[in-house]
Amino acid sequence: SLYAFADETSEGVSMGRRGDKPVSREFRIETVRIDEAVPPPVRLIKLDVEREELAALRGCAKLLVPPFPHLVIELKAVTARAFGYDAMEVVDLALSHHAYRLHLIKSRKRRRTTRDTIAALLRDEPHKTHNVWFEPLPV
């Protein structure tokens, strides 16, 4: 299901219910795992899937093989928590598949970063959206 929230300040729609926001409308949609719809190899995976980044990353595990793709993933701590997971689970799952160089992307600029810095940003700025580029290191 895809849910629209009744609260006008909500950020659009989501594939998950939130305990802190009433649902105004539910849409039934068909979903498939990314790795069932896209054949390997892939060079880039961009995940901005309405608060379901962890599930989407799990759903493309068969694509996270050599040659490893670049990943660009949107993370926001407060919404991840509202959907029952910690945003760092997404980072750690990506890093469990391969060694990546991490970058923060904002307004066409990128800045190298570390896992610890991302964890601190998500902890200290839970309402802010962070786009993280996982650049695969050579095998």
Side-chain angles (χ1 to χ4, degrees):
S1 289
L2 192 62
Y3 302 97
F5 299 109
D7 180 355
E8 292 180 15
T9 63
S10 293
E11 302 166 353
V13 297
S14 175
M15 291 181 68
R17 286 184 177 265
R18 289 180 62 162
D20 61 339
K21 303 232 181 238
V23 172
S24 65
R25 193 156 176 212
E26 179 179 348
F27 305 90
R28 298 297 296 170
I29 57 172
E30 181 179 342
T31 60
V32 296
R33 289 176 56 97
I34 296 168
D35 57 18
E36 292 173 359
V38 178
V42 296
R43 295 187 60 203
L44 171 71
I45 299 170
K46 166 70 167 104
L47 296 179
D48 177 0
V49 289
E50 306 312 325
R51 295 30 135 207
E52 289 292 335
E53 284 74 18
L54 182 60
L57 187 59
R58 287 177 176 151
C60 66
K62 294 177 186 172
L63 300 176
L64 302 178
V65 296
F68 292 95
H70 293 253
L71 304 172
V72 178
I73 304 175
E74 180 180 273
L75 300 172
K76 188 173 183 179
V78 69
T79 50
R81 273 195 304 274
F83 290 103
Y85 68 94
D86 185 300
M88 282 306 294
E89 289 180 70
V90 177
V91 174
D92 291 336
L93 180 58
L95 293 175
S96 74
H97 286 276
H98 183 63
Y100 285 96
R101 182 175 295 125
L102 302 174
H103 307 265
L104 288 169
I105 301 173
K106 183 177 180 179
S107 302
R108 296 185 182 172
K109 295 179 183 177
R110 67 180 168 89
R111 173 174 55 106
R112 289 258 320 258
T113 191
T114 65
R115 182 205 175 277
D116 292 340
T117 299
I118 293 169
L121 286 171
L122 291 168
R123 181 189 66 240
D124 298 341
E125 302 173 345
H127 295 280
K128 186 173 179 183
T129 299
H130 301 280
N131 287 293
V132 181
W133 168 26
F134 295 76
E135 178 187 14
L137 294 174
V139 184

